[in-house]
Amino acid sequence: MGEVGTNRLILIGAGGHARVLADALHLVGRAEGAVVLDAQADLHGTALLGLPIVGGDELLASLRGEGFGEFLVAIGGIRGFGLRRRLFDRAVQLGLRAAILRHPASVVAESAVLGAGSQVLASAVVNACAEIGENVILNTGSIVEHDCWVGADSHIAPRACLAGGVRIGRQVHIGVGATICENLRIGDRAIVGAGAVVIRDVPPEAVVAGVPAKAIRRSGP
Ligand code: JB3
């Protein structure tokens, strides 16, 4: 861990996903000196698992000036893809580096590649030669098998499973416990419902659900 003052970390968001990240930061020794920003003013001055919620995003520039070096986008909700990308880009534009967070109970193959800002949470598995894009959430117990590709800003929800060679686009949500069969492609901004079993490619912005998964609507902008 870098010394406090240069590698101090900013969590952007103070909700349920932020609590998961804060817990992992404590476990990997990155909580020291970290602070949290949230849009809800009534949270300012309180704490998130011991991390001070110091204000809103307007503080990003001044925190950078105070020697904070890294950030994580700590917003995970399905409606938040565009927001996650905007927050990521704003922090990078201010000269902050996107940290990579690996829970100590995760398993990541030596040959796997984790993108800046990616978050590999408890019991998640990233297997050989998989590539994980920027700002991706691999949530609790998710499985990304060998040779998979997960595009930027996507969220693989708890216990979802991508079989070998699956390619996930950008800003995709794979729901809790969903299964994507091998070598399939899931298009940008598609949504796969919880528990779905996907046995054919999913086009961009499609919303699919069921066993086997079928299209139910299109995902909104
Ligand atoms: O299902 C699981 C395991 N986790 C879910 C996660 C992936 O997504 C979790 O159960 C929730 O469904 C959701 O967690 P998240 O994204 O933390 O949602 P919520 O608990 O609603 O917290 C979002 C926080 O972000 C709120 O405190 C908002 O005020 C804050 N927020 C919204 N917009 C913002 C902004 N904070 C900052 N700094 N900037 C914003 O623009």
Side-chain angles (χ1 to χ4, degrees):
M1 177 187 124
E3 67 280 8
V4 174
T6 56
N7 247 1
R8 290 178 71 185
L9 191 138
I10 303 165
L11 278 187
I12 304 177
H17 187 61
R19 282 192 284 281
V20 171
L21 299 189
D23 178 76
L25 288 174
H26 282 292
L27 292 173
V28 297
R30 288 298 316 271
E32 185 186 353
V35 298
V36 186
L37 300 178
D38 197 278
Q40 289 180 63
D42 59 352
L43 295 177
H44 302 170
T46 64
L48 175 98
L49 296 186
L51 305 187
I53 303 173
V54 295
D57 299 341
E58 67 282 357
L59 295 184
L60 272 171
S62 55
L63 289 170
R64 176 74 187 99
E66 291 167 27
F68 281 79
E70 293 194 315
F71 74 96
L72 283 168
V73 176
I75 296 172
I78 193 167
R79 298 274 166 262
F81 285 107
L83 175 61
R84 286 170 45 73
R85 176 42 54 182
R86 286 195 304 276
L87 292 169
F88 184 96
D89 288 344
R90 189 187 310 170
V92 169
Q93 280 157 10
L94 289 168
L96 289 158
R97 291 183 310 281
I100 294 175
L101 179 57
R102 276 184 53 181
H103 191 286
S106 64
V107 178
V108 178
E110 278 296 309
S111 56
V113 175
L114 300 180
S118 55
Q119 305 159 21
V120 186
L121 300 175
S123 300
V125 176
V126 185
N127 220 324
C129 303
E131 291 194 34
I132 308 303
E134 277 184 350
N135 206 25
V136 164
I137 302 171
L138 301 183
N139 220 317
T140 313
S142 57
I143 296 174
V144 177
E145 265 302 344
H146 65 87
D147 300 303
C148 283
W149 163 258
V150 180
D153 309 322
S154 289
H155 177 197
I156 312 302
R159 295 196 57 72
C161 178
L162 311 183
V166 167
R167 295 187 68 82
I168 303 285
R170 297 173 68 99
Q171 301 193 359
V172 169
H173 181 84
I174 305 294
V176 174
T179 299
I180 315 295
C181 292
E182 64 276 8
N183 300 319
L184 292 180
R185 289 171 182 270
I186 310 294
D188 293 351
R189 293 177 300 286
I191 296 174
V192 173
V197 175
V198 178
I199 61 171
R200 58 177 61 87
D201 288 355
V202 174
E205 301 182 358
V207 179
V208 301
V211 181
K214 291 186 170 43
I216 56 173
R217 61 176 173 81
R218 300 197 60 72
S219 63

